[in-house]
């Protein structure tokens, strides 16, 4: 991080008197260069190699405002199935934003990361406006999204973001990608209420036009209730989520109603985490899905074998249970998962920090992901070996 003094950036006459204001700016650069190799091991396997790079800087002013600018690019080095490969060459301005950040008010507009809102179903970089207001244990938030930068980014609160998934795809903000992933304009809002160890978070999300054949509107209303506590060296987090959805996500005539019931128990002890969950996506016609741009699940099926929107594990009429575990140290992180039911997954992913100097580091790792749903056609493949390397700063 580097500090620069901008002297006399404002100089004008007020009541006949000249004066100058000086702002101190902290320049915080960010970026990475990564490579990923995805090798299918089923019959007629896929294989591809991709490069992904991102570079930018955040300019922090000393009056709580900040400006940011960044670019991202992906290059398909090799693919044996060009038609179905998720890794296609693309690029865009990833970040171009203005932010205001205090304890009680957070505001961002432009192209920016909206994680600060802490909304389960929308994360990563979007194009739009986000606001979060903190008032004595209550958080009020709202998001307007015109488009999304889809690069596989998916954050799970306890385990962190899914390993290497942000190196496995890139869809820019352009109209073509918006038509595939977003459709219309998205407006979401909600409240987070915390009392001691309890938290409840109701929300509503509206997409004015689904990117399906019928292109109707999408409406989602839901809530999350959580309870966190410590006992005997363990940290326990219990989450219950529910959602009601109206929207023609399959592009076919029929019942457009769907619902979600999802419960999860997660435990953490020192460097280890483990737990179990169960969910059901209810849809009367057995087709379509919950249209989620992101989610807080611990699955790798969306990020590795089926990158994009919607997620294969949230297809209508899906009932699935799962067990997960992992460890996280200063150098090593491991995620493991087994899911059984309509959606099935067996995944083991590892990330090792090989080198670090100040804010620069190099990570490498890999793993195996098998994911399958009888409700979703997968053009890529259900079984992947993944290897990656990533230099970041």
């Amino acid at each position: 991080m580097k500090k620069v003094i901008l002297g006399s950036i404002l100089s004008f006459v007020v009541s006949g008197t000249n004066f100058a204001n000086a702002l101190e700016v902290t320049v915080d650069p960010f970026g990475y260069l990564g490579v990923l190799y995805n090798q299918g091991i089923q019959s007629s396997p896929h294989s591809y190699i991709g490069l992904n790079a991102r570079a930018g800087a955040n300019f922090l002013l000393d009056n709580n405002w900040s400006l940011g600018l960044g670019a991202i690019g992906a290059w398909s080095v090799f693919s044996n199935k060009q038609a179905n490969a998720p890794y296609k060459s693309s690029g865009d301005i990833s970040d171009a934003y203005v932010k205001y950040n205090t304890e009680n008010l957070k505001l961002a507009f432009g192209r920016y990361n909206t994680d600060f809102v802490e909304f389960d179903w929308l994360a990563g970089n979007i194009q739009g406006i986000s606001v979060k207001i903190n008032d004595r244990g209550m958080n009020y938030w709202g998001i307007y999204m015109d488009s999304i930068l889809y690069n596989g980014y998916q954050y799970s609160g306890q385990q962190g973001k899914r390993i290497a998934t942000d190196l496995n795809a890139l869809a820019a903000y352009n109209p073509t990608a918006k038509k595939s992933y977003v459709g219309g304009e998205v407006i979401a809002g909600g409240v987070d209420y915390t009392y001691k160890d309890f938290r409840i978070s109701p929300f509503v999300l509206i997409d004015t036009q689904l990117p399906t054949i019928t292109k109707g509107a999408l409406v989602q209303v839901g809530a999350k209730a959580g309870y966190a506590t410590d006992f005997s060296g363990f940290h326990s987090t219990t989450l219950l989520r529910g959602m009601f959805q109206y929207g023609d996500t399959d592009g076919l005539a029929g019942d457009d109603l769907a619902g979600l019931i999802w419960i999860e128990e997660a435990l953490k002890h020192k460097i280890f985490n483990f737990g179990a969950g169960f969910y059901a996506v209810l849809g009367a016609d057995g087709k379509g899905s919950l249209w989620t741009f992101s989610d807080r699940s611990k699955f790798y099926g969306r990020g590795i074998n089926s990158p994009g929107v919607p997620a294969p594990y949230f297809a209508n009429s899906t009932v699935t249970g799962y067990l997960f575990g992992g460890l996280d140290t200063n150098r090593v992180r491991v995620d493991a998962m087994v899911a059984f039911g309509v959606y099935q997954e067996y995944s083991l992913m590892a990330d090792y920090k090989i080198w670090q100097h100040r804010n620069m580091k190099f990570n490498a790792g890999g793993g195996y992901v098998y994911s399958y749903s009888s409700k979703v056609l997968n053009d890529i493949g259900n079984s992947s070996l993944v290897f990656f390397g990533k230099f970041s700063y």
Side-chain angles (χ1 to χ4, degrees), residues 44-76:
S44 184
H46 65 275
S47 63
Y48 56 88
I49 301 172
L51 285 174
N52 196 302
R54 189 172 183 179
N58 188 31
F59 301 87
L60 300 160
L61 282 65
D62 60 2
N63 59 358
N64 300 316
W65 288 91
S66 62
L67 309 172
L69 186 64
I72 190 170
W75 295 268
S76 178

Side-chain angles (χ1 to χ4, degrees), residues 52-289:
N52 196 302
R54 189 172 183 179
N58 188 31
F59 301 87
L60 300 160
L61 282 65
D62 60 2
N63 59 358
N64 300 316
W65 288 91
S66 62
L67 309 172
L69 186 64
I72 190 170
W75 295 268
S76 178
V77 178
F78 165 79
S79 175
N80 71 337
K81 291 188 175 183
Q82 293 290 343
N84 298 331
Y87 213 109
K88 302 181 187 301
S89 298
S90 180
D92 207 343
I93 301 297
S94 58
D95 303 83
Y97 59 79
V98 176
K99 292 183 180 179
Y100 182 77
N101 185 16
T102 66
E103 183 177 348
N104 295 324
L105 174 62
K106 301 180 188 299
L107 171 68
F109 57 91
R111 295 181 174 183
Y112 60 92
N113 188 298
T114 192
D115 285 3
F116 69 89
V117 173
E118 297 183 284
F119 181 36
D120 281 2
W121 305 106
L122 185 56
N125 272 48
I126 69 169
Q127 179 174 280
I129 302 171
S130 295
V131 62
K132 183 178 181 180
I133 301 171
N134 180 20
D135 182 23
R136 293 173 294 182
M138 298 281 287
N139 289 326
Y140 307 91
W141 60 268
I143 299 174
Y144 163 73
M145 180 177 74
D146 173 68
S147 189
I148 190 171
L149 180 76
Y150 182 83
N151 67 336
Y153 178 84
Q154 186 172 314
Y155 186 81
S156 176
Q158 184 191 53
Q159 290 184 320
K161 69 177 183 179
R162 307 294 80 198
I163 296 171
T165 53
D166 60 345
L167 301 177
N168 198 40
L170 179 62
Y173 296 102
N174 61 56
T176 301
K178 174 181 177 175
K179 184 178 179 181
S180 299
Y181 292 113
V182 181
E185 310 300 306
V186 176
I187 301 172
V191 177
D192 301 321
Y193 173 67
T194 303
Y195 177 74
K196 294 183 178 180
D197 296 327
F198 292 90
R199 183 170 186 173
I200 184 167
S201 305
F203 75 91
V204 59
L205 181 147
I206 299 171
D207 188 342
T208 60
Q209 180 176 292
L210 272 168
T212 57
I213 298 173
T214 55
K215 297 183 179 179
L218 172 76
V219 178
Q220 295 176 336
V221 179
K224 175 179 67 175
Y227 176 72
T229 187
D230 295 303
F231 65 94
S232 303
F234 289 87
H235 179 73
S236 168
T237 304
T238 305
L239 294 174
L240 175 63
R241 294 177 174 91
M243 183 192 297
F244 166 80
Q245 173 180 283
Y246 174 80
D248 187 6
T249 58
D250 57 11
L252 302 174
D255 196 337
D256 298 335
L257 303 180
L260 170 70
I261 301 173
W262 183 6
I263 186 169
E264 181 179 278
E265 170 63 27
L267 296 168
K268 186 174 183 180
H269 177 68
K270 296 181 179 178
I271 65 172
F272 300 100
N273 66 82
F274 52 93
F278 168 85
Y279 72 94
V281 180
L282 309 174
D285 61 2
K287 299 182 183 299
S289 64

Side-chain angles (χ1 to χ4, degrees), residues 362-374:
F362 179 74
N363 290 51
Y368 171 75
V369 177
Y370 169 84
S371 59
Y372 171 77
S373 172
S374 60

